[in-house]
Amino acid sequence: MKRTFLATMLLVACGVVFAQQPVITFEKTDHDFGKINEADGRVTTIFTFKNEGMEPLVLSNVRASCGCTTPTWTKTPVEPGQTGDITVTYNPNGRPGRFTKTITVTSNATNPTTKLTIRGEVIPKTQQPVSRFPQKMGDALATNSRILNFGTVLNTKNITKSNIEYTNNSDKEITVEVLLNDKEPWIDAEATLLTVKPKEVGQLHVNIDGTKANVWGLNNSYIYLAVNGKRVLTDDYKITLSYSIEEDFSGVDKKTAPIIEVAEKEVNLGTIKAGTKVAKMFAVKNVGVNPLLIHAVNNNASDIKVSAPKAIKSGKSQDLKVQVMAGQEVGTFRRQIDIITNDPANPHSRITLVWTVK
């Protein structure tokens, strides 16, 4: 009898405690947006809940199943008999088709976890036609690109590309002329249409003659288009040609080829006072048979100057002089120079310079 009495009392006590806990109820736990337009952007619905318990209700977390769904909720305690809100926003951008997303609500209620659901169907936005000629050159002329990449051009080859097209976007006839750099005789170009009627399309035929090039390694050259006789050398009318002039080693006997040897691949010049210059000598040796020809020493930095020998005989070494000019900007700087030679096994030898300006 005593045991039965104690068990009954425990059940009653648990029931009292349970009844005193907060109880969360929702007006709805599922919302269907129906069909929504992707172009209209985000959509939002509100889930209203009520505390039907005897103690304050606190939502500790509200978590969506994916990043496209964003919930915000009442953060303050909800007193018994009062209501709170969970606002759920869905972003349809880039998500055409049907969707179902869940939101998990965690609280101190008797039912500590509640699942909410949103659903609907995203109608994709109408795709705008992509312009065939997005690069505008003034009011009338437009091209499909401003860059023409040739990749590697061997010093024995002559390459022509015709990937750039142009059109007349105006309602009047125009003339087009290609402007070249006289100092780059290895670059040539012509326009297939010199007089262009409205909506007519022409092509640029661009040629790089590697046999005439006096530059080595990666380079950019520029040509310009003159419209109606106006020779304006500005970026608005510029086309960039990207290419790398490399030696053709197909007929080289590697047994008698030159071999470059540079002892130092990376050098820390230490601390340099702002506005001063520091010079460094690098020994370059030819451990091969035929003379080592140094075609060029390239760097993309204005604060470095390089003086290099033109040729090094077999078994000999010569100095390559690098001068670093520290600017007024303080900090650590890292630059790379590229020694381009006729060594078929190692045509590009790179040296890295590091220094600190204080």
Side-chain angles (χ1 to χ4, degrees), residues 208-221:
I208 296 181
D209 188 347
T211 66
K212 296 180 180 179
N214 62 5
V215 294
W216 293 89
L218 186 62
N219 288 274
N220 284 332
S221 293

Side-chain angles (χ1 to χ4, degrees), residues 43-60:
V43 290
T44 297
T45 187
I46 297 176
F47 293 91
T48 300
F49 62 88
K50 184 177 182 180
N51 180 8
E52 296 188 346
M54 303 296 291
E55 294 291 333
L57 171 66
V58 178
L59 273 58
S60 56

